[in-house]
Amino acid sequence: MIDTHAHIDGPEFAEDIEDVIQRAKEAGVEKIFIPGICLKDTPHLFEVCQAHPHYLFPMIGLHPENIMDEDYHQALDQLEQLLTAYSNSNDITSSPIIAIGEVGLDLYWDATHKKEQLEVFERQVQWAEQYDLPLMIHSRNAHKELMEVMERHRNSNLYGVFHCFTGTEAEALDLLTFPNFMLGIGGVLTFKKSTLKDVIKNAIPLSRIVLETDSPYMAPAPNRGKRNESAYVKYVAEKLAEIYGTNFDEIVLQTTKNTLKVFKKLTFFDKI
């Protein structure tokens, strides 16, 4: 299994990150991808990943909820400098950025800075095109706005993941029209009252799904309400096996294949 989205560089894991990683390995998690959310935390993100080479992999990006926490123009400039250094490096082991993320739009709590969110997202979409890296896209209460941005880039080389998908069948079908994108499925799938299981069964082929936890958030049953961690991704895989009427191993095999299709840089690490 691969956990394609886990914030284990955060303060919630400061005291026991080594134990968290060990439990993930014991649960069968082969790799964990860690999204960037702001400039100030990026050095620590890299430190955490460098302490666990070939197991933890960093992304780089400015999350929509963080754009007003710092001068976002300056933050974007400095993040792009890191991307430029990465693209010019001949040593992939020293520059392990595997995606642009976590980026996107969030109008759930407050749409006051919608214009700024759109500006920041658009620039980072352009990075993905320029540097040939996948996008890890966050979208909450912003499907219409997301689709407007994506339509402008429909004929480009974009690929990536629509992270934490919990939407309707219609929204799923919209997103699936972008053939180089996967839908990230996490713990919400296991919630008793979640409608996501029906959406998946009716509208989303297994060939378009990747596993994620979004830890420390949204822990799956039977650990709902607790701190989420990468080891719990197995519960998502088990639920998918139930929905698709197949076995756990087939879910792991197919979602891993889907992940490697999107995160192309990983093939370099597997050869090292």
Side-chain angles (χ1 to χ4, degrees), residues 192-217:
K192 187 175 181 179
K193 295 183 179 180
S194 173
T195 60
L196 184 56
K197 59 181 73 71
D198 293 325
V199 174
I200 288 176
K201 184 176 182 179
N202 296 331
I204 307 175
L206 179 56
S207 61
R208 299 297 296 278
I209 284 176
V210 296
L211 302 174
E212 62 171 55
T213 58
D214 201 17
S215 57
Y217 316 110

Side-chain angles (χ1 to χ4, degrees), residues 212-271:
E212 62 171 55
T213 58
D214 201 17
S215 57
Y217 316 110
M218 295 182 293
N223 296 301
R224 188 175 181 184
K226 300 178 181 179
R227 182 191 69 175
N228 200 2
E229 58 181 74
S230 291
Y232 299 164
V233 77
K234 65 183 179 183
Y235 298 117
V236 180
E238 288 171 354
K239 193 64 173 181
L240 285 170
E242 177 185 320
I243 292 169
Y244 285 112
T246 187
N247 59 59
F248 178 85
D249 290 343
E250 176 59 27
I251 296 297
V252 172
L253 181 65
Q254 184 62 55
T255 56
T256 299
K257 180 180 179 181
N258 299 343
T259 301
L260 296 177
K261 182 177 180 180
V262 171
F263 294 88
K264 302 175 183 178
K265 303 297 181 184
L266 288 180
T267 58
F268 290 96
F269 292 97
D270 289 338
K271 295 175 183 177

